[in-house]
Each structure stands twice: as C-alpha cells, then as structure tokens.
Amino acid sequence: MSIPSDLEIAQAATLQPMDDVARQMDLPPEFLERHGTDVAKIELDAIEAMADRPRAKYVVVTAITPTPLGEGKTTTTVGLGQAFSHIGKRGVVAIRQPSMGPTFGIKGGAAGGGYSQVVPMEKFNLHLTGDFHAVTSAHNMLSAVLDNHLYQGNAAGLDPYRVTWRRVLDVNDRALRNIVTGLGGRMDGVPRESGFDITSASEVMAVLALSNDLAELRERLGRIVVGYTPDGDAVTAEDINGAGAMAALMRDALKPNLMQTLENTPVLVHAGPFGNIATGNSSIVADRIGIHCGDFLVTEAGFGADMGAERFFNIKCRTSGMSPDAAVVVATVRALKVHSGNHRIVAGKDLPPALLEENPEEVHAGAANLRKQIENMRLHGVSPVVCINAFPTDHPSEHAAIREIAESMGARAAVSTHFADGGRGAAELAEAVAEAAQEESHFQLLYPDDATLREKIETIATKVYGADGVDYAPAANTSIDLYERNGFGGLPICVAKTHLSISSDPKLLGAPTGWRMPVREVRASVGAGFIYPICGDMRTMPGLGKNPAAHHIDVKPDGTIVGLF
C-alpha cells in the first residue's frame, strides 16, 4: 500500500479549533493568544496558574547514532504522543521549531512524517508566529549596538580583534560565513572581520530555550559576552547597553506556541537551538506548561543519545530542575546495518540495494551502537525503552534482532508503525513507556557544577563517548583558562561534534574505543549558560546543495503551498 506524501497527508487533515485543543490540556482559553484558527501562543501566566496540578510523566525521545537521513525521532515523538490516547491516557508533545535554512536546503521540514505529523505543516515549517524572526532581530540588534559602540569611542575598551559576536540569518548561505564589515569610509563604521551564523546557532536562541521566565530571559541576555578587552576581561551585552532592546524584541517570543497533531493531540512548539553546537532541545517554558496538562509529556532531544539526550540531562534538566521518568531510544534496521560497517548512506541518493536485503546478522553486527546508547541512558539513571521504528523495507527477523539486543541489555523494546498507522501503530510503544515511567526514578547528573571545565569535558568524553581521553589544542587551553579566570568555570558543557558518530570522527561507526577526543577550540555561551568545546570543523552557517528544496517549493494561485517535505 502506497502512502501519500507528508504534505498531502497534512493538507487533508481535519484540525480542531485551538480552544478545543487547549481543552484537552485543561488549559483555560483566557491563556491563549490566537494566531489565526490553527495556531496560538500561550500566555506565561499559565505556568503559575497550573503549578498546583498533578505532574505528568516526563519522557524524552532520543535515538541511536543516526545515518545522514535521520531515523524518525520527531516522527516517533509525535506518534508516541498520539498513541497515549489509544491506551486511555492523555499525551502532550513538546518539540523544537525547525529552522527554515534546512527546510529550504536538503533536510526538508521537521513536522514528523506520514500519519504522525504536526499540522498545519506549512505554518510549522514556515515562520509560524515569528519567534525565529524575533531571535534574528534581537541578535542583530546587539550586533548593531556593538559596532556602534566601537564607532562612538569604545568606552568598554573592547579589543576589535577579540570581538566574538557575529550576525545571524535563518537561511543557508555559505557566502556569509566570513565577511568584513565597516567598509566604505570613516562614516560607515569600524572595519573588522566578522561573519554570519544560522539563526538556530544564535546564543539568543539558546537563551530562549533555557530561560524559565521573562526576568531570567532578560538577565541571560545581559550576560552574553560580546568580546574581550586587551587584558582578557569579558565585555557583556549589559556593558554596552544592548540587552534591554533585545529583551523587548524577545518578550512575545518567550510564549510557547500551541499546535496539534494529525490526531489532534496538543503540541507545544517552541525554540529551535542548533543540535550540533547548542542544546538541541525545545524550551523549558513549554515543558513547565506541558508537565501539568496531561498524563505524559513527550519531548524530543536532537540527534543521538550521546548528544541531544546528554544535553537534555546535563544542561536542560540542570537548569529547569525537572527530571525525566523514562527515555525512548529510537532505532532502525537500516541504521544498525550501517553501523555494521557494510553500507554507506548518502543524503539525496538511493539506498544501497544490499541494505534492503533481509540480514539480521548485520543488525547484530551493528548492535554496539544501540548498546552504548542504552548504557548512556542508564548512566543518568533513566529507564530506556527501545523504539524499533519500522520501515516498509524491514523484515520481521531484523525487528526480532533489535528486540533481542535491547532485551539483552535489560531494556524494554517495542515495534512501532506510527509513520504508516499513526498513534494506533505506536500503542505497544506507549504501553512500554508507561511501564518504564512507573519505575522508581534514579535520575542523576553526570558531573557537579564545581568540577573544572576540563574535568567536565573529560567526563563526557570518556563516560558518554567512550574516548580514552581528551587532547586540547593550545588555543583551547588558552580559552579554558580565560573562561575560568572570568568566572565561567561553573557552567555545564555542550560538546560541539559530529552527530554521525558517538566519537568526534564521523567515520567511526558503532561504539568506537581506543581513540582520544581532540578539542581544537572552546567557546563560551555565557548568557545561555554553557561552554562549548569544538571537535572538528563545525559549520554554523550551512550552504545550499546542488538541488535544494528551495528549487521545488512554490505557491499556487489559490495560495496552496507545494514542494514541502
């Protein structure tokens, strides 16, 4: 049976009025700020108004190390949220808002897929309520204030060669990665090298995701470090009087967005921090609302469990004070076969025919990655459930192989067909998650706040990634010393590395051992509240491919959008 395209399924959906969606959450309509008939923002007063309600079970969805095509983590998150209604429970979903750069690039949208999607798909992927534009504007406002500060005499004593604040734009545009500003003459500013990152990589986006309320958002914006003096003293957004204007631009963006799935399950869509160099998780504010609006709050952590889930535990939960009751680790037959080392997947090209042949032995050969990601959940004291995300090209023997691997690690496992069957197809998964969430919680952070930055980095590298140790480039050591001297040593760590391997080398599959993690530089997101060591060449401004989605997205005369996927 052929399944219509994601866009065709989404455009055929029957949506409930937003008041009815809110009613499923017992969310009073006076807390809704409606944006048309099918999207609303939720007023922040709802947090305090619902604080005394019972707390839902808090479930994070993560995955094994993915292939370049992804393994259906968002689709699983949406499908699981829908599935709870099929077992007599109420589910609420909380996910990130996608960047329009990848939407118009090679990745496409991020609304889920098949019959487990957030709708309307077009609004979800394109603009929504303007939060990304607010982040872009606030970030670039600070850039303008910074350059004006240099032009007007530089009272803060910033060293122009040590300015760390760039500009952002929510497009894939490699030509903007490295630029020179201030050209044209004395009246056009102070010439200096700079560049653009994509909006999801902005520290302002991470601030949005990690703030508990408006007052904290304002405080974090003020703590953003824009550069250093010649003596190495940090200069902040507050020091150059830029934080207040940023907060004004971000005020309404702090309100989470309410949408729904194809089965009308409530979805909180909020914030979109980059998955490689930032937390890759949706907002704390959305979770603080959703945790009091049903029986289960299902949220997603970007990329594999070594990245998104580790950051969920050690940055997001550390900041919010909330602790998870269970974790879902999404696994696919194709990804485990790739981890066997016998196949290679390239985005934009057909799958190798041999990958689709029945071969449970290859699934077992790639099992080390799944075992390590289950171990990473247990490292934090969280009960894991393996979701076997079923594809039409899979074979029952291969699903049985994944189940056997999971059960050998003492983890629950469930085959899920949510892409083809919606919530009904994830009912077995929902039952397994409900059982896991009833177990006594033993959640623990990986490292204490007062550990040194090097101790924190080395703990993540050795315990989560399986490295033998860490090698620091001279520039990285200099930065770590600078940050600790400026009082930033108590911040958690967000390692920027490839998502295609548990290691820092995308070519190393499975669960590699006998390697050391190279840290070439270390940067600070002081306002967001984390330090990020960089391993390898991390692009913070993507480029468009030879045949990007932008070539195919269009609008018909009646206003119908086509070409999204």
PDB file of all heavy atoms in Angstrom, residues 179-190:
ATOM      1  N   ILE A 179      32.939  37.507   6.564  1.00  0.00           N
ATOM      2  CA  ILE A 179      32.754  38.789   5.895  1.00  0.00           C
ATOM      3  C   ILE A 179      33.626  39.850   6.571  1.00  0.00           C
ATOM      4  O   ILE A 179      34.217  39.608   7.632  1.00  0.00           O
ATOM      5  CB  ILE A 179      31.279  39.245   5.933  1.00  0.00           C
ATOM      6  CG1 ILE A 179      30.837  39.497   7.389  1.00  0.00           C
ATOM      7  CG2 ILE A 179      30.362  38.234   5.259  1.00  0.00           C
ATOM      8  CD1 ILE A 179      29.491  40.184   7.506  1.00  0.00           C
ATOM      9  N   VAL A 180      33.701  41.017   5.938  1.00  0.00           N
ATOM     10  CA  VAL A 180      34.329  42.194   6.542  1.00  0.00           C
ATOM     11  C   VAL A 180      33.265  43.275   6.609  1.00  0.00           C
ATOM     12  O   VAL A 180      32.606  43.587   5.603  1.00  0.00           O
ATOM     13  CB  VAL A 180      35.536  42.677   5.722  1.00  0.00           C
ATOM     14  CG1 VAL A 180      36.104  43.962   6.335  1.00  0.00           C
ATOM     15  CG2 VAL A 180      36.612  41.610   5.672  1.00  0.00           C
ATOM     16  N   THR A 181      33.050  43.841   7.793  1.00  0.00           N
ATOM     17  CA  THR A 181      32.070  44.910   7.971  1.00  0.00           C
ATOM     18  C   THR A 181      32.782  46.258   8.093  1.00  0.00           C
ATOM     19  O   THR A 181      33.985  46.324   8.340  1.00  0.00           O
ATOM     20  CB  THR A 181      31.221  44.680   9.232  1.00  0.00           C
ATOM     21  OG1 THR A 181      32.084  44.662  10.378  1.00  0.00           O
ATOM     22  CG2 THR A 181      30.486  43.357   9.158  1.00  0.00           C
ATOM     23  N   GLY A 182      32.010  47.324   7.914  1.00  0.00           N
ATOM     24  CA  GLY A 182      32.534  48.669   8.127  1.00  0.00           C
ATOM     25  C   GLY A 182      33.324  49.234   6.963  1.00  0.00           C
ATOM     26  O   GLY A 182      34.025  50.246   7.130  1.00  0.00           O
ATOM     27  N   LEU A 183      33.231  48.608   5.791  1.00  0.00           N
ATOM     28  CA  LEU A 183      33.946  49.131   4.634  1.00  0.00           C
ATOM     29  C   LEU A 183      33.229  50.360   4.079  1.00  0.00           C
ATOM     30  O   LEU A 183      32.031  50.542   4.264  1.00  0.00           O
ATOM     31  CB  LEU A 183      34.057  48.060   3.553  1.00  0.00           C
ATOM     32  CG  LEU A 183      34.836  46.800   3.921  1.00  0.00           C
ATOM     33  CD1 LEU A 183      34.827  45.814   2.759  1.00  0.00           C
ATOM     34  CD2 LEU A 183      36.266  47.138   4.304  1.00  0.00           C
ATOM     35  N   GLY A 184      33.960  51.211   3.379  1.00  0.00           N
ATOM     36  CA  GLY A 184      33.342  52.348   2.714  1.00  0.00           C
ATOM     37  C   GLY A 184      33.827  53.696   3.186  1.00  0.00           C
ATOM     38  O   GLY A 184      33.608  54.707   2.543  1.00  0.00           O
ATOM     39  N   GLY A 185      34.466  53.765   4.329  1.00  0.00           N
ATOM     40  CA  GLY A 185      34.940  55.050   4.820  1.00  0.00           C
ATOM     41  C   GLY A 185      34.623  55.238   6.294  1.00  0.00           C
ATOM     42  O   GLY A 185      33.903  54.437   6.901  1.00  0.00           O
ATOM     43  N   ARG A 186      35.160  56.297   6.902  1.00  0.00           N
ATOM     44  CA  ARG A 186      35.042  56.514   8.341  1.00  0.00           C
ATOM     45  C   ARG A 186      33.599  56.595   8.809  1.00  0.00           C
ATOM     46  O   ARG A 186      33.261  56.131   9.904  1.00  0.00           O
ATOM     47  CB  ARG A 186      35.791  57.805   8.731  1.00  0.00           C
ATOM     48  CG  ARG A 186      35.959  57.989  10.247  1.00  0.00           C
ATOM     49  CD  ARG A 186      36.634  59.293  10.556  1.00  0.00           C
ATOM     50  NE  ARG A 186      35.795  60.428  10.210  1.00  0.00           N
ATOM     51  CZ  ARG A 186      34.826  60.906  11.005  1.00  0.00           C
ATOM     52  NH1 ARG A 186      34.593  60.334  12.172  1.00  0.00           N
ATOM     53  NH2 ARG A 186      34.097  61.935  10.625  1.00  0.00           N
ATOM     54  N   MET A 187      32.715  57.146   7.982  1.00  0.00           N
ATOM     55  CA  MET A 187      31.318  57.300   8.383  1.00  0.00           C
ATOM     56  C   MET A 187      30.545  55.981   8.331  1.00  0.00           C
ATOM     57  O   MET A 187      29.403  55.924   8.781  1.00  0.00           O
ATOM     58  CB  MET A 187      30.627  58.329   7.486  1.00  0.00           C
ATOM     59  CG  MET A 187      31.208  59.726   7.581  1.00  0.00           C
ATOM     60  SD  MET A 187      31.122  60.385   9.273  1.00  0.00           S
ATOM     61  CE  MET A 187      29.345  60.571   9.447  1.00  0.00           C
ATOM     62  N   ASP A 188      31.158  54.942   7.820  1.00  0.00           N
ATOM     63  CA  ASP A 188      30.462  53.660   7.670  1.00  0.00           C
ATOM     64  C   ASP A 188      30.863  52.638   8.720  1.00  0.00           C
ATOM     65  O   ASP A 188      30.579  51.448   8.575  1.00  0.00           O
ATOM     66  CB  ASP A 188      30.712  53.090   6.274  1.00  0.00           C
ATOM     67  CG  ASP A 188      30.124  53.979   5.190  1.00  0.00           C
ATOM     68  OD1 ASP A 188      28.970  54.415   5.350  1.00  0.00           O
ATOM     69  OD2 ASP A 188      30.824  54.247   4.205  1.00  0.00           O
ATOM     70  N   GLY A 189      31.522  53.092   9.776  1.00  0.00           N
ATOM     71  CA  GLY A 189      31.836  52.187  10.871  1.00  0.00           C
ATOM     72  C   GLY A 189      33.301  51.800  10.908  1.00  0.00           C
ATOM     73  O   GLY A 189      34.122  52.273  10.118  1.00  0.00           O
ATOM     74  N   VAL A 190      33.605  50.903  11.855  1.00  0.00           N
ATOM     75  CA  VAL A 190      34.974  50.441  12.078  1.00  0.00           C
ATOM     76  C   VAL A 190      35.162  49.126  11.323  1.00  0.00           C
ATOM     77  O   VAL A 190      34.483  48.143  11.639  1.00  0.00           O
ATOM     78  CB  VAL A 190      35.251  50.238  13.582  1.00  0.00           C
ATOM     79  CG1 VAL A 190      36.665  49.710  13.804  1.00  0.00           C
ATOM     80  CG2 VAL A 190      35.031  51.547  14.345  1.00  0.00           C
TER      81      VAL A 190
END
